[in-house]
Amino acid sequence: MKILIADDSRVMRQIVTRTLRQAGFDGHDLVEAQDGKQAFDMVQSEKPDLVISDWNMPEMTGVECLRQLRANGNNVKFGFVTSECTPEMMKQAEDAGAEFFIIKPFTAERFDEVFSPILG
């Protein structure tokens, strides 16, 4: 499977990658986006099976990216790994079609719990 990791922090993209491996999800094709706009474009060009996105990014936020994808008929599995979490954000994510919402800091166990049903 191909997984797109979208975060404006290069270090956080590396941490997400490492945590995926620690959770047993190595062997997947990982691609990275530096902001929401790049993530949106890469979903079209790279056709990932899963998008793991930060919420707050330049150019386009994660939830704006998700809404735009859904508006264009793209139903890629999409969810958030973010340090912020309010009930309003959770509702926005759910309403936009997010599959998951993981709060930083996260663990390999949490990734396993969330991604095992998605990645098999």
Side-chain angles (χ1 to χ4, degrees), residues 2-75:
K2 186 180 283 191
I3 302 170
L4 173 62
I5 301 166
D7 199 303
D8 53 319
S9 163
R10 183 181 58 82
V11 171
M12 187 50 63
R13 292 192 307 270
Q14 291 173 334
I15 292 169
V16 169
T17 297
R18 185 179 69 230
T19 308
L20 280 168
R21 289 193 178 112
Q22 290 170 343
F25 301 112
D26 42 3
H28 295 286
D29 185 12
L30 305 179
V31 290
E32 298 182 5
Q34 298 175 23
D35 60 51
K37 175 74 174 96
Q38 187 180 31
F40 177 80
D41 292 341
M42 287 182 75
V43 168
Q44 316 299 320
S45 64
E46 296 285 333
K47 309 230 180 310
D49 301 290
L50 172 66
V51 178
I52 301 171
S53 178
D54 188 19
W55 187 275
N56 286 313
M57 295 181 288
E59 302 297 326
M60 181 187 282
T61 67
V63 75
E64 288 169 344
C65 177
L66 174 56
R67 286 179 184 140
Q68 191 80 37
L69 287 167
R70 295 299 186 255
N72 287 350
N74 189 310
N75 289 317

